[in-house]
Amino acid sequence: EVPTLIYVAKEKKTFAISGMGWSPEAFTLDWCRTHGIDLIPGDGYLPACVPAVVDTWATAVARFGTMSFSQILQPVIELSANGFPVYPRLHDHLLTNFRKYTELYPTTGAVYYPNGRPPEVGDILRNPDFAEALKLMCRAEEANRHQGRHAGIQAARDVFYKGSIAERIITFISETPVEDASGTAHTGLLSYDDIAAWGATVEEPITYTYKGLDVHKCSGWTQGPTFLQHLAILEGFDLVQLGHNTADYLHVWLESAKLAFADREAYYGDPLFDQVPFDILLSAPYNAARRHLIDPHASLEMRPGDVGAGVPAYATVGVAEDNRLALDVEAREIKDLGLGHAHVGDTTHLDAVDQEGNMVAATPSGGWLGTSPVIKGLGFPLGTRGQMFYLNPDRPNALAPRKRPRATLTPSLVTRQGDPFMVFGTPGGDSQEQWTLQFFLNYVAFGMNLQEALDAPTVHSVHFPSSFYPRHAYPGHLVAESRIAPPVLAELQRRGHKVTVTEAWAHGKVMGIHYDTDRGIIIGGASPKGNIGYAIGW
């Protein structure tokens, strides 16, 4: 998946591209009831949606770019065909999962253990099947280039969605069942028609104006608008007077995060299926009322707001419990999918700004090696984003045929009076909005320079249900980097927060670029946290 925001300088307009594929037509609530599924597993084929990244980039390049698809794909083809050195985190992952990738997902092992053993750091790893799949698209583009750049790009994406690549995907998942967290082996429910009928769409973003800055996010098919709701609540506080990373500031920040994410659970979903009341959720009266719920003590409750029909009860109980009540099915055993299954670090993010002021923010993810086998002959696995659906038909983001699940992926783009200002984002699952909001406030409210804003220690709440199987919530819990002052953490505990302290530089990989129209310069930075990130100018 790759939710994407693009600002076009000549039009002074921001666009969102729906880089989230839809669910299979055959995957329904009735299917789950019949098969006793109380939670959509986080692995295997059941949570697989149509791969969205190819047509998202094709749409972006065709509508807003100047290059051919083959030019865009060439560096990836070179890395896949010629290989790249194994880096430490990949080595550790392949070492830890050796048995899984040789027994449960042997097609993954065939690619990543070319000598029958985990590669060492620095060994060259190749994926020629992936390179060949990309070359198929390039050859189709070349054959249709005489009809124009757009026709060539269309031909390339059609090879993926309507040609041999789609056919190989369906053949493999139909003939190669794998066991998933439900405890049962399943074949895939995606069909050729599901893939062939899908296409990325260009949409209007959701926008909130904060202190003269227009902050743009993808709509309710992501968690992006929680960032805007959080800002709308915080706008009623003097953050500078509270003081950066003081107990007073972090308490207000955490309590308002809980309120914003409670509304995510109650109201967010694919706008083509679910009516998400952003006009109310981002309104001043609504957020004034939400703000007044914050008191000196930490809340341990889920408190979604009332948008006119009462507070929805389903958002105040656990996801699994709500699913079981709705479908009248028994609880299945929860399967441990391994440390890090919430994918807080293996998403990626990229931002780009050019001299004309065009800006792109995109958060590519999915296709995790650990949750679905590599498709034989293609070199990549399917995504498992469908695990984020609910199974209660009365709530938004409930599973339905050919519907987008509400993804955690959430790029950010900011303009000022129609001019370019900033793009930013991070890996981090449910924490993405929390870490990026702290960065944004560090920069625009507390006046830090870009690198200081990226480097500052962060906290995040895990009070609300996780978007990932098995969807647990931890009421009142927060996770703080150890660089947060110990007296501050002690005071938060005194106020009722349940504090877990992690490593000093553990949270995310926030990166951002500021387009300084006043001075005519572009400033970019990447956090030194987690895995390697870069800011590059040329």
Side-chain angles (χ1 to χ4, degrees):
E1 309 88 31
V2 54
T4 303
L5 293 165
I6 296 178
Y7 170 82
V8 180
K10 289 181 180 178
E11 300 180 43
K12 290 198 168 188
K13 183 172 174 57
T14 300
F15 301 88
I17 304 182
S18 174
M20 182 65 243
W22 60 29
S23 58
E25 188 168 33
F27 195 27
T28 65
L29 295 175
D30 285 341
W31 190 97
C32 292
R33 183 182 294 108
T34 299
H35 292 82
I37 298 295
D38 63 328
L39 279 168
I40 298 176
D43 59 344
Y45 302 135
L46 294 186
C49 296
V50 173
V53 66
V54 174
D55 195 51
T56 303
W57 287 129
T59 299
V61 173
R63 179 158 177 178
F64 304 110
T66 59
M67 300 173 75
S68 70
F69 213 46
S70 298
Q71 287 174 295
I72 300 296
L73 295 179
Q74 195 57 42
V76 189
I77 292 172
E78 292 175 5
L79 286 169
S80 302
N82 301 331
F84 61 90
V86 171
Y87 48 93
R89 185 167 182 240
L90 179 58
H91 164 77
D92 293 345
H93 177 85
L94 295 176
L95 186 65
T96 301
N97 290 281
F98 180 76
R99 183 173 179 180
K100 180 176 187 177
Y101 295 156
T102 53
E103 296 179 8
L104 185 62
Y105 297 166
T107 51
T108 302
V111 174
Y112 287 91
Y113 306 126
N115 298 315
R117 57 171 176 78
E120 299 296 331
V121 173
D123 286 354
I124 299 300
L125 189 63
R126 297 176 177 84
N127 191 339
D129 288 343
F130 186 52
E132 185 57 33
L134 300 180
K135 289 177 184 177
L136 284 174
M137 290 188 276
C138 294
R139 286 195 283 269
E141 181 179 48
E142 182 62 30
N144 289 272
R145 192 185 300 275
H146 64 282
Q147 299 180 60
R149 190 176 74 93
H150 285 201
I153 293 172
Q154 182 67 33
R157 63 84 60 202
D158 282 351
V159 168
F160 190 96
Y161 292 95
K162 298 180 179 181
S164 59
I165 294 177
E167 291 168 352
R168 281 193 174 191
I169 292 172
I170 299 308
T171 298
F172 181 80
I173 67 174
S174 300
E175 297 178 354
T176 316
V178 294
E179 183 177 336
D180 55 46
S182 71
T184 302
H186 293 104
T187 54
L189 294 178
L190 274 174
S191 69
Y192 175 85
D193 288 343
D194 289 326
I195 298 176
W198 184 83
T201 54
V202 179
E203 305 176 351
E204 292 290 325
I206 304 298
T207 303
Y208 180 77
T209 302
Y210 178 79
K211 300 189 183 305
L213 298 173
D214 293 322
V215 185
H216 308 280
K217 303 293 291 188
C218 297
S219 189
W221 51 275
T222 73
Q223 67 173 344
T226 60
F227 188 106
L228 309 182
Q229 287 195 250
H230 201 164
L231 271 182
I233 297 170
L234 290 173
E235 194 159 16
F237 295 94
D238 187 336
L239 303 181
V240 175
Q241 184 178 35
L242 291 175
H244 181 257
N245 278 359
T246 62
D248 288 340
Y249 170 69
L250 292 178
H251 175 75
V252 165
W253 193 95
L254 288 159
E255 291 304 291
S256 54
K258 294 176 187 178
L259 297 172
F261 278 88
D263 281 347
R264 181 193 77 168
E265 296 301 297
Y267 300 116
Y268 288 21
D270 183 345
L272 299 178
F273 291 76
D274 304 316
Q275 297 300 313
V276 188
F278 287 124
D279 55 336
I280 298 174
L281 295 175
L282 296 175
S283 68
Y286 180 83
N287 285 287
R290 301 292 276 158
R291 198 174 300 125
H292 287 306
L293 293 175
I294 299 174
D295 61 33
H297 200 75
S299 171
L300 301 182
E301 300 176 352
M302 282 289 289
R303 298 185 292 178
D306 182 353
V307 297
V311 174
Y314 50 66
T316 64
V317 299
V319 173
E321 179 186 353
D322 184 54
N323 287 349
R324 292 164 193 152
L325 287 172
L327 295 183
D328 191 24
V329 296
E330 297 295 324
R332 287 191 180 228
E333 180 182 355
I334 298 296
K335 182 178 179 180
D336 181 8
L337 294 183
L339 192 63
H341 175 64
H343 304 294
V344 296
D346 51 1
T347 290
T348 60
H349 180 80
L350 66 91
D351 303 305
V353 176
D354 70 12
Q355 61 184 349
E356 297 175 6
N358 300 303
M359 303 193 298
V360 178
T363 310
S365 191
W368 301 302
L369 296 181
T371 51
S372 195
V374 165
I375 299 162
K376 187 175 182 179
L378 294 180
F380 61 85
L382 293 176
T384 53
R385 194 66 57 175
Q387 66 187 282
M388 297 176 178
F389 282 120
Y390 305 120
L391 300 180
N392 178 352
D394 295 330
R395 67 187 300 173
N397 193 42
L399 175 66
R402 295 191 176 178
K403 182 178 181 179
R404 295 171 290 183
R406 185 208 67 221
T408 50
L409 309 170
T410 172
S412 301
L413 187 151
V414 184
T415 56
R416 181 174 60 185
Q417 296 179 341
D419 292 327
F421 184 80
M422 176 178 275
V423 281
F424 54 93
T426 182
D430 289 298
S431 303
Q432 289 179 34
E433 295 296 22
Q434 302 186 65
W435 298 333
T436 53
L437 181 59
Q438 287 166 89
F439 156 72
F440 178 71
L441 292 172
N442 291 346
Y443 193 60
V444 304
F446 291 102
M448 299 181 189
N449 70 39
L450 195 74
Q451 196 62 50
E452 289 173 330
L454 290 164
D455 289 353
T458 61
V459 301
H460 64 271
S461 173
V462 290
H463 171 82
F464 46 86
S466 169
S467 295
F468 299 90
Y469 174 93
R471 313 298 297 274
H472 288 322
Y474 301 91
H477 284 255
L478 68 91
V479 183
E481 288 180 317
S482 61
R483 291 180 295 136
I484 300 289
V488 169
L489 298 178
E491 174 60 18
L492 291 173
Q493 286 180 310
R494 190 192 68 79
R495 298 186 189 192
H497 297 279
K498 301 175 182 180
V499 179
T500 298
V501 179
T502 188
E503 295 178 5
W505 298 84
H507 290 175
K509 172 56 66 181
V510 181
M511 58 201 74
I513 307 173
H514 175 209
Y515 189 92
D516 189 333
T517 54
D518 296 331
R519 293 183 289 179
I521 59 173
I522 301 171
I523 308 166
S527 166
K529 300 176 183 180
N531 297 303
I532 296 170
Y534 303 95
I536 303 172
W538 71 97

